[in-house]
Amino acid sequence: MTEHLTIRDGRTEVVFDPASGGITGLRDLELGGWLRPGAGPSLFVLEIPRHGDRTVVAATAAQTLASAVVREDGRAVALAWDGLVTSAGERLDARVEVTAALDGAGRLELTLEAEPGEAVVEAVRFPSLAGFRPPEGERLELIRAEYSQGGTVALLPGFENNSPYWGTTFPDYASTNLRPEVVCNPTSPFVALAGETGGITVMPSAPTLEFVGWRVSLEPGYLDSLTRLAGADAAVTLDAIQMPTPSDGRLRAVPVTLAPYRGGRAQALAPYRATQRPSRVPSAAWLREPRTWLQVQLMSTENEPRYDFADLAAIIEECAAGGIGAIQIVGWNEGGQDGLVPVHRPAGRLGGEAGLVRALARARELDVKAVLYVKYQWVERPGPHWAELEPYACLDENGQPYAQPGPVYHSARKRYGMSTPWYVPLCFSARDLRARFAEEVARMAEWGAAGVLADESLYHGRALLCFASGHGHEPGASAYLWDGEFVEDLRRAAEAVSPDFVIAGEGCYDGQFEHYDLSYFRSWSERHLPIGRELRSDVRMATAVIGFDDRNMVGQCLLYGYAMSLEPYNFKGRPGDMPATLAYAAAVDRLRARLAPWLWNGAYLGDEGWPRG
């Protein structure tokens, strides 16, 4: 071994420790180094439970590199380790191979394969890189995407912790932690460690639906815990946590790319955006027009009949009179909103199928596009459909159904979780289950609905992986692998009845935009970042507007090209309940219609389209 093991191209230099093989230096040749000297070598961590101790790991710093072959052009190296030393001091008969390659434009791709032998590898942190710091004097943030939007997390000098401190050694921010039921695979399609003049985007090298969880840890911890400030010697460790399933005795991690960038958020997103597959182009022409929506709940899961189907027809007439061009109809089904899922039948106490069909016909007469709210991710337990659908439930590693509390509504016992049924996620790997849902959606098209909006379609609760052995997939498969097939099955069935039928989803994660026609979400936050729009300028998004003179939210919609979903009284009201917001939304839609090539169908450029200086 040479004293230094280095690969570089014209943009980036990566230095490896010749003894352990871990990375000790990562440097943008213009902006400078990103890894703090003295942090120690780091590259991978294998979590390997041994003899009842589930905290045992094999980390790079404790290993001895067996071989390192640098490519002739000096841009890549193949590393190998024979035998692994665990944190308990045990030596395992296992082999790990890592390839690190620069692409000539400064992007580093890392791949890992392992032959664990008799060891059981529960998780792979790859890459696991310690010692990240921004250039001197700059702040460091984490950028991530979620729920059709995104956000930032402060890392240095102040660090935003979301970890349960009793279960961690360092403050950390993880893309789930205490709420694993509201994330997807990957938990964010990318993350970026962002300084003020540049940073590093970290992402799967190609689009994937496999589990990747992102975690950043502050080491050694806070200097001042009240202000959440770190000391001058603190640095951040980044872990991409993976759960690869063994095949033919080998583990293959999802390849990950580190892409240094110079500039702001637009430059941080560019490496990931280049890997995206094309967005779906909706067949429904009305989605290419600026239309304000109304969302209205007819009945909640508490079964109180707020509006019947005759009232719905009158609400649709109010929409037409007020310039509202689409309506999302919630709680139209037996059991009310979120009740008796995943079966949807028109509620008898609201007027039954005949009453719903009449209301939908009135919507077509007035050109108000009526979209029915549906929920197919879960089956209620207890509930009338549990026994029939239990075979399709996603199971955890212990063979138990994943579960989470069901809907929380008005009554005190529901609000405090005393009488709430459990939601158990269903595995969409089953063709016959998807066919059942598709047949139901085709029936909605026959009734005259313009589309459906699949609620909570972005996630499968706690079922990030499904360990069921009778579903036709390998135990431990990503629960997200069949999301696209689910949507396309619904589409084929519905479009056989109505060619322009719309299939929308709630808070689509990025890959779902290849299948869904529209994403509905909520963005009423001062910290809202339009990362979903910045990633995909060509997709349709709608966001909730609940204020009674909600000019700020209407302005947000105008700026980012979101359709407005008016929702007085948290979508329990009617258009006339928010006259000021309705009037302003109508004025904005008239403006968008007049300037549609820019304000509705144009590409959002952020501040990139404005002159500098």
Side-chain angles (χ1 to χ4, degrees), residues 16 25 56 80 148 176 218 290 316 318 340 352 386 413 423 472 477 574 585:
F16 299 82
V56 175
S148 290
T176 164
L218 178 67
I316 288 168
E318 287 183 36
L340 305 183
W386 170 248
R413 285 181 179 250
Y423 270 0
R574 336 173 46 130

Side-chain angles (χ1 to χ4, degrees), residues 435-471:
R436 170 182 176 152
F437 296 154
E439 181 181 354
E440 189 177 89
V441 168
R443 192 175 308 123
M444 297 174 199
E446 291 171 356
W447 295 336
V452 294
L453 193 148
D455 188 53
E456 297 177 350
S457 54
L458 75 158
Y459 64 96
H460 296 273
R462 294 177 179 266
L464 299 171
L465 306 179
C466 179
F467 291 90
S469 58
H471 288 182

Side-chain angles (χ1 to χ4, degrees), residues 176-210:
T176 164
N177 251 326
L178 297 177
R179 293 295 305 279
E181 67 269 27
V182 293
V183 297
C184 52
N185 290 352
T187 55
S188 174
F190 70 93
V191 294
L193 296 167
E196 296 173 44
T197 56
I200 299 175
T201 299
V202 187
M203 62 189 188
S205 299
T208 184
L209 294 174
E210 297 295 340

Side-chain angles (χ1 to χ4, degrees), residues 35-91:
L35 293 183
R36 173 174 60 87
S42 57
L43 183 54
F44 63 82
V45 176
L46 307 185
E47 297 186 12
I48 308 176
R50 302 294 291 174
H51 315 299
D53 183 351
R54 299 189 63 228
T55 68
V56 175
V57 299
T60 312
Q63 311 310 315
T64 300
L65 187 62
S67 65
V69 179
V70 179
R71 206 168 65 191
E72 287 186 9
D73 63 6
R75 292 182 178 177
V77 62
L79 308 167
W81 297 260
D82 283 318
L84 294 179
V85 178
T86 73
S87 55
E90 185 178 8
R91 184 173 291 277

Side-chain angles (χ1 to χ4, degrees), residues 371-393:
V371 174
L372 297 178
Y373 171 106
V374 295
K375 206 180 194 92
Y376 288 121
Q377 307 294 92
W378 327 102
V379 57
E380 278 188 359
R381 181 185 184 188
H385 308 296
W386 170 248
E388 176 189 2
L389 296 177
E390 181 182 5
Y392 302 103

Side-chain angles (χ1 to χ4, degrees), residues 409-491:
Y409 281 99
H410 307 283
S411 67
R413 285 181 179 250
K414 279 281 181 69
R415 293 290 297 273
Y416 284 98
M418 297 172 184
S419 62
T420 304
W422 287 92
Y423 270 0
V424 175
L426 296 168
C427 184
F428 286 170
S429 64
R431 290 178 181 272
D432 56 336
L433 182 67
R434 300 197 309 266
R436 170 182 176 152
F437 296 154
E439 181 181 354
E440 189 177 89
V441 168
R443 192 175 308 123
M444 297 174 199
E446 291 171 356
W447 295 336
V452 294
L453 193 148
D455 188 53
E456 297 177 350
S457 54
L458 75 158
Y459 64 96
H460 296 273
R462 294 177 179 266
L464 299 171
L465 306 179
C466 179
F467 291 90
S469 58
H471 288 182
H473 59 69
E474 288 292 325
S478 168
Y480 291 76
L481 295 175
W482 301 277
D483 281 10
E485 293 181 49
F486 162 70
V487 179
E488 298 309 324
D489 284 352
L490 300 188
R491 187 178 308 286

Side-chain angles (χ1 to χ4, degrees), residues 284 286 360 364 368-372 444-445 448-452 498 500-503:
W286 65 270
L360 295 176
R364 292 196 306 279
V368 175
K369 304 301 181 182
V371 174
L372 297 178
M444 297 174 199
V452 294
S498 175
D500 292 337
F501 197 82
V502 166
I503 299 178

